[in-house]
Amino acid sequence: MAREMQRSGMFIEQNTADYENGDAQKNLDDDGRPKRTGTWVTASAHIITAVIGSGVLSLAWAIAQLGWVAGPAVLMIFSFITYFTSTLLADCYRAPDPVHGKRNYTYMDVVRAYLGGRKVQLCGLAQYANLLGVTIGYTITASISMVAVKRSNCFHKHGHEAKCQTSNNPFMIIFACIQIILSQIPNFHELSWLSILAAIMSFTYASIGLGLSIAKVAGGTGHVRTTSLTGVTVGVDVSGSEKVWRTFQAIGDIAFAYAFSTVLVEIQDTLKSSPPENKSMKRASGIGVMTTTLFYVLCGIVGYAAFGNDAPGNFLTGFGFYEPFWLIDFANVCIAVHLIGAYQVFAQPLFGFVEKLCARRYPDNKFITREHAVNVPCCGVYYLNFFRLVWRTAYVIVTAVLAMLFPFFNDFLGLIGAGSFWPLTVYFPIEMHIAQSKIPKYSFRWVWLKILSWVCLVVSLVAAAGSIQGLVRSLSAYKPFQTPKE
């Protein structure tokens, strides 16, 4: 048996001599796999990378639909729900005991250990459909940010009324080329450096957006900004039906903005076993959710104060600001870099699932299982697997092509989020906690956990309805070969 020794943040070198020298035990975990090195710091970076997406810049729009009272309240409620259910899921990483039980390496493994049956397949369908959708959505969003840099320079040169239309497709191709290279990182365990970089980028562009909003409020420039306790006004800003649909969509956007359960188990599987993984993961989840909530509340509230009921969907790519153009450019570059890292955080679990499935089904196929050692100057030995190279490259190409064919896919992503939020973030963690703790049926704790689950189901359903209405509107207004709306 060969152990894996980390030679750098990205490359893995395997060395069998250490086993011959009797060093196997201290380099292996309790289940015989290579020893993990992740800490609550790296886990926090993964969570922040997964959670704080460029959607933080659209929260001003969500607050504008809900108003000063409901907007911040909904943000706080869903931050608590996300943290609470993430702690439940963290305790289920090992089964049956959360500290000394058998490790489960994926979300499906956890569901199989506690619930079993068809729920395992339903979990896999919800999780991997969500991961696929997110990677397509990130391809679109990253290209929009890249295009925004070019458009910002155009507006600065030719004036704000100039028609600075640019195709997103070349930038999607650039993004895909970068992802093809990064996708060859073998697994989630080697992503910590990329997640830390992406987390720094997310802090940077969120801070820039926040700073520009504060400057806009303090300067009092432009037309009078209308805000209210209840958000956009029926009969003035929107019709009655539009108010309802937008409210549904805003609640869904906020709920999904916190969700990281699709990758929580995979993140926890990178943590070293001492201190216990569930303890480190709870700490990381607390830091991740707390940090996210701080930025969400600040960007949402200050953004609403800056733009009022006319808040754009994204005030950096949607040109809520034009100047200083160089700062807008830098912020959009940070968004693109962050999404490069976030794409990998969401793609790696899907890559691993397919590769492990194929290895189990075709154990004698050398194309799938054989590793080829390649010496990389200054980095050590990288083990190349041809199946991994072909499959991951094909996946990135397919997601890029789908992004180019369906530039309005982000509207569809809301529907995918609605379909996966309830089962992955709420239902499965609660059901597994009930099974693990053997909570008596109809006891007080059982009842309020069930009520929480049903309330979140209703949120998913109304958000799905809002997403469907938005998708229909986008399809009816869609004109091919034009830059999609941010």
Side-chain angles (χ1 to χ4, degrees), residues 131-144:
L131 295 176
L132 172 62
V134 168
T135 52
I136 296 172
Y138 279 179
T139 303
I140 297 169
T141 307
S143 70
I144 290 173

Side-chain angles (χ1 to χ4, degrees), residues 228-300:
S228 72
L229 294 177
T230 56
V232 292
T233 306
V234 175
V236 177
D237 302 303
V238 293
S239 66
S241 61
E242 284 179 323
K243 172 72 173 178
V244 173
W245 290 120
R246 287 188 176 196
T247 299
F248 287 171
Q249 204 168 357
I251 293 173
D253 286 350
I254 291 173
F256 310 149
Y258 280 105
F260 63 95
S261 58
T262 49
V263 292
L264 185 148
V265 176
E266 284 77 4
I267 292 173
Q268 191 166 347
D269 192 46
T270 67
L271 295 172
K272 55 188 178 182
S273 55
S274 180
E277 301 97 341
N278 64 330
K279 182 178 179 181
S280 297
M281 195 64 199
K282 288 177 183 178
R283 184 178 183 183
S285 297
I287 292 171
V289 172
M290 191 165 49
T291 304
T292 301
T293 302
L294 176 64
F295 272 92
Y296 280 7
V297 170
L298 287 175
C299 287

Side-chain angles (χ1 to χ4, degrees), residues 415-462:
L415 185 59
I416 296 176
S420 60
F421 168 75
W422 177 69
L424 297 177
T425 302
V426 182
Y427 174 75
F428 285 128
I430 286 178
E431 291 299 314
M432 290 189 292
H433 173 69
I434 290 173
Q436 183 187 55
S437 301
K438 297 180 172 60
I439 299 174
K441 201 170 185 179
Y442 303 117
S443 64
F444 174 77
R445 192 176 182 187
W446 184 92
V447 169
W448 76 259
L449 285 172
K450 289 290 186 178
I451 290 173
L452 175 61
S453 180
W454 283 103
V455 168
C456 290
L457 174 60
V458 172
V459 170
S460 285
L461 292 175
V462 298

